[in-house]
Amino acid sequence: MEAAVLPRPADITPELRRFLDSRFRSQADLAAAADVEAEIRGRYAELEASVSDLSVRLAAAAAAYSSSCSAAGTALSNVRGCLAALNASTSEPGVTEAVEVGSEEMLFEQLSSLAKEVARVELVRDYAETALKLDSFVGDVEDAVSSSVTGKLKSRAESSLKTYHVPIGYLKTIEDILSSVTKTRPQWTRLVSAVDHRVDRSLALLRPQAIVDHRALLASLGWPPSLSGTKFSSINSGKPSEIVNPLFSMKGDLKSKYSESFLSLCSLQELQKRRKARQLEGHIVNNQLRQPLWVIEELVNPIAAAAQRHFSKWVEKPEFVFALAYKITRDFVDSMDEILQPLVDKANLVGYSCREEWISGMVITLSTYLVKEIFPKHIELLQEISSADASSKQSQARVSWLNLIDLMISFDKQTQALISSSGLLLSVKDDDNWQRISVLSVFCDRPDWLEIWAEIERQDTHDKLRLSMENEKNWNTRFQGTVLEYGSDDYKSPAITGVIQKGLSLLIDRARPIPNIALRAEFIKISTSPLLSEFLGWMLQRCQEAEGLTALADDNALLKVSQSINAARYLESTLTEWCNDVFFLEMENIDGRSECIFQVEINQLKDFRVQWTEKISTVILRDFDARSRDYLKNKRQWQEKSEGLTLSRAFVECLDYMQGRIAKLEDGLNVLDFVTVWRTVASGVDQLLFSGIFSGSTKFSNGGVERLHGDLSILFAAFSAWCMRPEGFFPRLSEGLKLLDIDEKQLRDGACTDNNRLREYGIRRLTAAEVEKIIKNRIYES
């Protein structure tokens, strides 16, 4: 047997030299030469099998292409034959003119069919070329993925990261072709579906392998860093962080490998995003296309697992849990901007901020721990009511719950400050993105916990407000600084309204950080509506007590009712103003609701206010009616002669009483409701006096008319303190007096029988029957 001839050193390739150097480092390694040879032969056999498989596929593709070309050639031959026959039929001598019209029609019909045939052939050719091209690229992807999974002759550490760029490049090319086909040839759905199916199988192997390699590389970097011995003293101080950041310590070849692996994962995610966008085109997807950044997830998951071990020690002290979570978030956030963000931008992964993704990942980690460990224990404490000291335990449980909520709100403010401190605003301030950076998002998945929170907040606020509502001083002292919209005076509302407003504002502020519009609205309704209803009940009780004691005939009773009306007016105005704020306008469109969240309470306050202003007006009118009864019964006074200005003493006393009551109201009631009261009283007095004076067959002499002039002038003067033209608020009395002033000559001329003439005299509100009655009762003296 001849000895094997060794190749010359110059003929050995660098790759083979590196392979031999890695296997035969010393003379002792020569003993394993047979094993190396067997390994090489095995891998050679695999490569041979792969080449053979490729040859078969290439032959099949070539056969398919040949068949398509043959079909296209046959179709073109048919087209050529048709054109030749057409040419021959139109060029025969002696028959051209006879068949001219028929030939033109045949030519038009044949050209249409020929055009369709050519288009069909062109479509078949495009389909065949596209299918062959896609098959070739998909085959390349499958081969590249297969080789990356099974391994190559080179060591994984040197080659595996680079091998991902090849299949990713093919995948991007395939996606470009599929996107073009989807837009230009939407009917080729089966081709697109078949390619997507094969690509999905390749990605199912490629992504997990890329992630495994990336995790191995992270472990070699020393990630996650050790959290043992972490102190929280530096959280709010300027001391340097005690947690070492391996991302800042990367250098040389290790940094290059990490960058390559990072870019590979980013490219895969960008490709996946494009594919999903194409596949879901035409559907309502909202934020379904957005996924957490894979590379940041691979950083968050191991450090979250390490942090969980520390969290478990502090179940009874959640402030330490929040402190550690914030410290981890803060200490690594700068490296996201400086090291990782440029790589994300290089991978063309649009719409992602590494800073925001890192913060979001840590927030989700903390939220998950709260849901699994912290909240269940607080719920359990709230449900312990069987023991003797249940009341005290309930109080402690509510305090613990509120303390936990305070920690969550504080943590959210800190994390959002980390986002804004870099000059970066939240990508999109919608509910979905907001939930990603808020630990309060735990309530989005557990609305029953939100109801518990809202009820605890309501109970806590109620306990504070009840003491204030029971304090009579808060009802008698005015709340300053509440300027009316339409006047210079204030609401004159009692100080208790300021306390109620502050309590409601605090509850609303507690709802502002909730990262969901519907849940914010639900929280506000649960926590504020019962408080407003109870306050309305207190005001109603005070008014009913005042009415029951004196029937509102006493000035103190009127003042007590006025205080409640002022409070209702102030709260109604405050709630209406809040409803015009953007914060509440956003809530109007949820659940098909088109009204303000406080609309029910606003209507209740308005109804209460209207009801009791009407009662005050009714009381004043009732007393005026009782005091003016003798005055109205005296019908003879309108027929008596008078010398000079004569006033009715009884009427003056009635007006004096009424003016005194209204003046008291002016001091105690807010301007808007006071205007409503005195106008209602004026309208009632107008109707009462008109009916009492002009009813029946009362006759009016010249002296009686002068007396009526005097009485009504006093009436108008009494109301002149609150308006410029008081007679305008007594239209029936004024028009009745105008009719009495018409002289006899004008009556004979028919001044009171023509509606147009009556309007000239200012008579617009009296009916024809009333006008006729008053004129008949007028006695003219010669």
Side-chain angles (χ1 to χ4, degrees), residues 188-332:
W188 293 357
T189 54
R190 292 186 178 180
L191 174 63
V192 174
S193 177
V195 174
D196 275 339
H197 179 67
R198 292 178 64 182
V199 169
D200 285 338
R201 287 189 304 177
S202 297
L203 285 174
L205 296 174
L206 186 61
R207 181 190 170 187
Q209 187 62 38
I211 290 177
V212 167
D213 291 342
H214 189 76
R215 289 174 179 174
L217 189 56
L218 280 175
S220 66
L221 289 175
W223 190 273
S226 175
L227 302 179
S228 300
T230 300
K231 299 179 181 179
F232 310 119
S233 58
S234 62
I235 289 180
N236 297 317
S237 65
K239 296 181 181 180
S241 172
E242 298 166 356
I243 303 178
V244 178
N245 190 345
L247 298 178
F248 280 130
S249 60
M250 289 190 304
K251 293 181 181 179
D253 187 48
L254 194 59
K255 184 175 182 179
S256 176
K257 289 179 181 179
Y258 179 77
S259 298
E260 289 290 332
S261 178
F262 191 98
L263 287 172
S264 296
L265 276 182
C266 287
S267 298
L268 275 176
Q269 186 166 7
E270 191 271 338
L271 173 67
Q272 184 74 2
K273 184 179 178 182
R274 286 180 56 195
R275 295 185 73 239
K276 288 297 182 183
R278 171 178 57 80
Q279 293 169 353
L280 296 176
E281 187 175 0
H283 300 276
I284 300 176
V285 295
N286 296 328
N287 280 345
Q288 295 177 17
L289 294 177
R290 183 180 179 89
Q291 293 181 333
L293 201 55
W294 296 347
V295 286
I296 301 299
E297 275 190 323
E298 295 307 317
L299 291 173
V300 171
N301 291 339
I303 202 168
Q308 291 271 1
R309 292 191 291 271
H310 293 275
F311 291 167
S312 60
K313 305 173 186 176
W314 302 323
V315 175
E316 302 298 331
K317 292 187 176 295
E319 59 271 18
F320 289 167
V321 173
F322 284 92
L324 179 58
Y326 175 67
K327 181 171 178 59
I328 295 172
T329 306
R330 184 201 61 187
D331 288 351
F332 293 97

Side-chain angles (χ1 to χ4, degrees), residues 50 53 72 122 165 199 226 260 332 366 488 531 551 601 667 758:
S50 177
D53 180 60
E122 182 68 19
H165 293 299
V199 169
S226 175
E260 289 290 332
F332 293 97
L366 180 57
S488 58
L531 295 179
E601 289 76 16
D667 292 335
L758 285 174

Side-chain angles (χ1 to χ4, degrees), residues 392-676:
S392 128
K393 283 191 174 182
Q394 279 285 329
S395 178
Q396 294 175 3
R398 288 199 298 267
V399 171
S400 298
W401 181 285
L402 294 177
N403 180 56
L404 176 61
I405 298 298
D406 290 339
L407 291 172
M408 295 171 71
I409 294 175
S410 176
F411 182 83
D412 279 353
K413 290 180 179 179
Q414 289 175 321
T415 53
Q416 290 169 20
L418 286 178
I419 293 178
S420 59
S421 64
S422 63
L424 177 72
L425 296 177
L426 191 59
S427 333
V428 182
K429 189 65 177 285
D430 58 19
D431 282 356
D432 291 334
N433 280 331
W434 193 358
Q435 290 172 18
R436 294 171 52 246
I437 61 165
S438 173
V439 289
L440 289 173
S441 60
V442 299
F443 295 110
C444 298
D445 298 325
R446 294 300 303 265
D448 54 326
W449 290 357
L450 181 87
E451 293 178 6
I452 294 174
W453 174 25
E455 182 60 28
I456 291 175
E457 293 282 1
R458 184 203 65 79
Q459 185 64 42
D460 183 63
T461 305
H462 173 267
D463 293 342
K464 299 174 183 176
L465 295 182
R466 188 174 185 83
L467 296 175
S468 299
M469 286 189 285
E470 292 174 350
N471 188 351
E472 188 65 26
K473 182 179 179 181
N474 289 328
W475 292 92
N476 297 328
T477 307
R478 288 186 180 178
F479 178 45
Q480 300 298 324
T482 54
V483 179
L484 269 175
E485 183 178 359
Y486 302 112
S488 58
D489 202 353
D490 61 14
Y491 284 102
K492 301 178 181 178
S493 58
I496 185 62
T497 55
V499 179
I500 298 295
Q501 180 200 22
K502 184 177 179 181
L504 295 177
S505 298
L506 290 176
L507 290 174
I508 293 171
D509 289 340
R510 297 287 275 182
R512 291 183 187 276
I514 300 175
N516 182 276
I517 295 177
L519 293 182
R520 288 199 293 273
E522 184 69 16
F523 180 93
I524 292 173
K525 288 295 292 183
I526 294 174
S527 60
T528 61
S529 293
L531 295 179
L532 286 168
S533 297
E534 181 168 355
F535 183 65
L536 185 62
W538 273 85
M539 292 191 296
L540 180 61
Q541 180 182 350
R542 290 175 61 84
C543 291
Q544 289 174 341
E545 289 176 355
E547 183 183 30
L549 291 175
T550 63
L552 301 183
D554 181 62
D555 288 342
N556 291 331
L558 277 183
L559 178 61
K560 198 170 187 178
V561 173
S562 298
Q563 291 169 347
S564 295
I565 293 175
N566 293 341
R569 167 69 75 175
Y570 174 71
L571 286 180
E572 177 189 344
S573 176
T574 299
L575 295 179
T576 302
E577 182 180 352
W578 285 352
C579 287
N580 293 327
D581 188 85
V582 175
F583 178 73
F584 291 100
L585 290 176
E586 291 178 337
M587 302 177 189
E588 292 186 5
N589 298 322
I590 59 174
D591 300 331
R593 179 171 53 196
S594 59
E595 60 180 16
C596 174
I597 191 173
F598 292 119
Q599 194 59 51
V600 173
E601 289 76 16
I602 290 174
N603 292 339
Q604 290 175 346
L605 291 168
K606 182 177 180 180
D607 292 342
F608 169 82
R609 182 174 50 78
V610 170
Q611 175 188 356
W612 286 96
T613 52
E614 289 178 352
K615 285 191 175 185
I616 290 177
S617 303
T618 302
V619 167
I620 295 176
L621 287 172
R622 185 178 62 225
D623 290 346
F624 180 81
D625 180 32
R627 293 172 182 271
S628 64
R629 197 162 297 161
D630 293 339
Y631 169 73
L632 296 177
K633 286 181 179 180
N634 185 7
K635 305 294 184 180
R636 296 181 57 186
Q637 62 182 325
W638 311 121
Q639 302 174 23
E640 296 175 354
K641 294 183 179 180
S642 61
E643 297 180 1
L645 181 61
T646 304
L647 299 176
S648 300
R649 181 181 181 86
F651 186 68
V652 173
E653 292 177 353
C654 293
L655 289 180
D656 182 62
Y657 166 79
M658 181 180 64
Q659 187 178 25
R661 298 300 303 271
I662 296 177
K664 287 285 186 181
L665 281 175
E666 184 178 15
D667 292 335
L669 198 59
N670 68 83
V671 174
L672 295 181
D673 288 310
F674 172 71
V675 169
T676 301

